[in-house]
Amino acid sequence: MGIGQSFILAIKSLLNNKMRAFLTMLGIIIGVGSVILIMSLGNGVTTEISDTFESMGTRTVSVTLMGRGSNRTFTDDEMYEFAEENSDVIKAVTPTVNVSATVRPERWNENLSTSITGVGEDWLTVKTYETARGRFISYMDIYARNKVCFVGAYFDSPEVYNGNAVGSTLKINGDVYTIIGVAEEITDASDEDGSDNFAVIPYTVAARLSRMGNINSYTLISVSDETVNAAKQRMSNRLYENYGDEDAYAVIALAEILDTVTEIMDTLVTVIAAIAAISLLVGGIGIMNIMLVSVTERTREIGIRKALGAKRRDIKSQFVIEAMTTSLIGGVFGILLGVFGARIAGKLMNMPAVPSLSSIVLSVGISVGIGVLFGYLPAKKASELNPIDALHHD
Amino acid sequence: MAKNQNSIQHGDDLIVFDNIYKIYEMGDTEVRAADGISFSVKRGEFVAIVGQSGSGKSTCMNIIGALDVPTSGEYYLDGVDVSTLNDNKLADIRNKMLGFIFQQYNLIPKLTVLENVELPLLYAGVPKRKRREAALKSLERVGLTEKAKNLPSQLSGGQQQRVSIARALAGNPSVILADEPTGALDSRTGREVLEFLQQLHSEGNTIVLITHDNSIAVKAQRIIRLQDGKVVYDGPSNVPEALVNPDIPIELQKNEAGGDA
């Protein structure tokens, strides 16, 4: 008997008992659905994280100086010198002094949630941002500690200065700073919580603002993706020379963090999906159970088929294919459930939860496999029935 | 009874039972369902195997039908020694050489009439179109072509039995094996089925009919009467001795036979 024939027979037998078929499939539907949902959400989170990292630049290396356990210091001049010497791997460097300060546009009564950073004149290069209007902070501004600032596109949006940002002023911690330039829009200029709401000031000004004697945080950008590791290594070596203590500094490549995060996410998703896959096992047992019932119910049919010349393998394949069809159809419904669920969840969580083709192929494979695996025992039982006994079964 | 122990050439003999024993162990006791049965059936014969329940006729039918193998003795079907075959070979024999007609029709309820008739051909590996053709031809022979798409449950008992006859004929078997074919039918439909079997016989088919009922057995050409696993009569059906059961007074038996025949 051909596989096609068995398949049609299996579909018929499922249609004969729709409720039972549905309940049998439910385990597989839920199992496959949840595996796909979890893998989609995992993909979504991983994609979002790596997008964030990539927007920060995968060529970026961040350097933090703690100075702990050492009397030595490492000045901004030394850092610039180091970058100069290693220009084959380091494209640019900038101090990054995070300042917690209030920001208020002219004639406003409330503060903005703008992040303020003190930076060097190469910050734009490091960040790979572009200037839309005006100019960026110059070496002179840094040297002379001018109270100027360069702002994100948010300040030029209708929310704040509506195109007139350059030449306007901002009050930072009560002091007046002149806006000398505006960056190109990065993500969404009108979003106060987005990446376009920032202001950078000369790092010398920022250091004074945060009462910091020395600059202890830098961001480097490497010449290319391939030179990131070399840049990181040379930076570490130079700092070790300086401090003689590995705990006195931290040199971290963003690409490295991204790899680690992606790895962790992948492991996490795999573990959770594996837990969800346990329900597939339960679903498989459900199929086995119902197939055993079905074999008992159809003992007479099996007897007739055997009397008419069905061989053991004919009977076996009939029941295995029936179990496989049940779990395959369950798997298809599960995929629909998973894909649909992922869409809804993705919308609710505002991220791209796209099921990967591989997770779908895997689910189909697993559900077919479960059908064969758990259908085999009942099928074997059916095939070994004695035709005489089976014929006299009521 | 001639014993052909040394010969595998059986001439015109389609079925040869050579000293067949079927012994079941039931705890300490031994049940001899077939206690040295020997007979042979020629091609084209219409034979009734008769006996009360426990006489061994069901065992005979199972062995002839290749559903079971004897404990000892040899069974040749068309020259093939069936008594030593394995499961798969037996399935092949049932499929290609035997056509079953059962008391309970044994149609598969969720398959259509046509699909039921196609079953033996399906297991024989006949391609779909040929299968359909042969099944329809077979249905035509029993006059049920117009019911091909119906389910068995939509047919009367007599019609269902005719479907099962069509199924038995579909594979062009060497032997048609009918086990109490009228047992579930009223006497009129039962008579129709028997007439149909006689017609098949006249067309040259070999038919083995298993029954406990003398009035049905006499429709066959020849009667083999079994009792306690042994053959007690083997001969033509049209002599009074054919209907004699040694355990029951002859007068009673004659009435029984005469009443229905």
Side-chain angles (χ1 to χ4, degrees), chain A residues 288 316 319-320 323 370-382:
Chain A
M288 179 153 73
K316 211 187 284 177
F319 281 90
V320 165
I370 280 178
V372 173
L373 192 70
F374 289 92
Y376 187 79
L377 183 78
K380 190 166 182 294
K381 193 183 156 197

Side-chain angles (χ1 to χ4, degrees), chain B:
Chain B
M1 283 300 301
K3 291 200 174 182
N4 303 328
Q5 245 154 356
N6 300 320
S7 146
I8 308 180
Q9 293 300 317
H10 301 287
D12 249 3
D13 292 344
L14 191 55
I15 295 171
V16 175
F17 255 44
D18 191 356
N19 212 16
I20 294 281
Y21 285 86
K22 184 73 189 180
I23 300 167
Y24 298 99
E25 306 277 347
M26 293 205 167
D28 290 341
T29 55
E30 179 180 270
V31 179
R32 289 172 172 248
D35 197 3
I37 297 175
S38 298
F39 63 80
S40 55
V41 176
K42 287 191 184 354
R43 209 177 293 277
E45 263 192 298
F46 185 177
V47 181
I49 296 176
V50 200
Q52 302 301 314
S53 68
S55 61
K57 67 178 192 307
S58 293
T59 303
C60 254
M61 130 101 196
N62 289 339
I63 294 173
I64 296 173
L67 292 163
D68 203 354
V69 287
T71 311
S72 71
E74 283 165 342
Y75 163 38
Y76 293 93
L77 178 59
D78 208 3
V80 180
D81 184 0
V82 179
S83 40
T84 57
L85 295 180
N86 66 18
D87 258 24
N88 274 344
K89 293 270 171 53
L90 287 177
D92 236 16
I93 295 281
R94 292 195 291 269
N95 184 240
K96 307 237 158 61
M97 302 180 73
L98 293 155
F100 288 92
I101 301 168
F102 301 99
Q103 178 175 1
Q104 295 299 336
Y105 330 129
N106 279 343
L107 301 173
I108 294 176
K110 61 177 186 251
L111 299 183
T112 65
V113 163
L114 185 64
E115 286 167 334
N116 264 293
V117 176
E118 275 183 46
L119 268 183
L121 303 167
L122 178 72
Y123 290 119
V126 176
K128 189 172 177 152
R129 189 182 296 178
K130 274 193 167 172
R131 211 159 69 207
R132 192 126 294 192
E133 234 167 65
L136 277 171
K137 203 178 274 174
S138 200
L139 271 177
E140 201 184 330
R141 283 180 78 180
V142 299
L144 283 173
T145 317
E146 76 280 7
K147 301 282 186 194
K149 299 273 176 227
N150 289 48
L151 289 175
S153 57
Q154 295 165 320
L155 271 58
S156 72
Q159 287 173 323
Q160 288 190 49
Q161 192 58 300
R162 272 151 68 197
V163 174
S164 90
I165 294 172
R167 181 178 65 186
L169 294 173
N172 243 332
S174 315
V175 178
I176 292 167
L177 193 55
D179 181 19
E180 302 278 12
T182 61
L185 301 172
D186 62 69
S187 55
R188 194 177 59 82
T189 1
R191 214 156 35 237
E192 280 171 19
V193 167
L194 286 173
E195 276 160 19
F196 193 76
L197 287 180
Q198 283 173 321
Q199 188 197 321
L200 287 177
H201 171 233
S202 68
E203 287 166 9
N205 289 288
T206 312
I207 298 171
V208 177
L209 174 72
I210 317 276
T211 181
H212 69 281
D213 191 341
N214 280 332
S215 64
I216 288 164
V218 294
K219 303 287 182 192
Q221 221 180 4
R222 170 181 161 200
I223 286 178
I224 298 173
R225 181 174 294 281
L226 295 178
Q227 195 178 343
D228 297 331
K230 290 186 164 75
V231 177
V232 292
Y233 175 83
D234 184 355
S237 61
N238 55 2
V239 296
E241 291 84 352
L243 304 177
V244 169
N245 185 329
D247 284 353
I248 301 173
I250 284 177
E251 293 307 312
L252 268 177
Q253 290 186 44
K254 274 185 174 162
N255 289 345
E256 193 186 83
D260 250 44

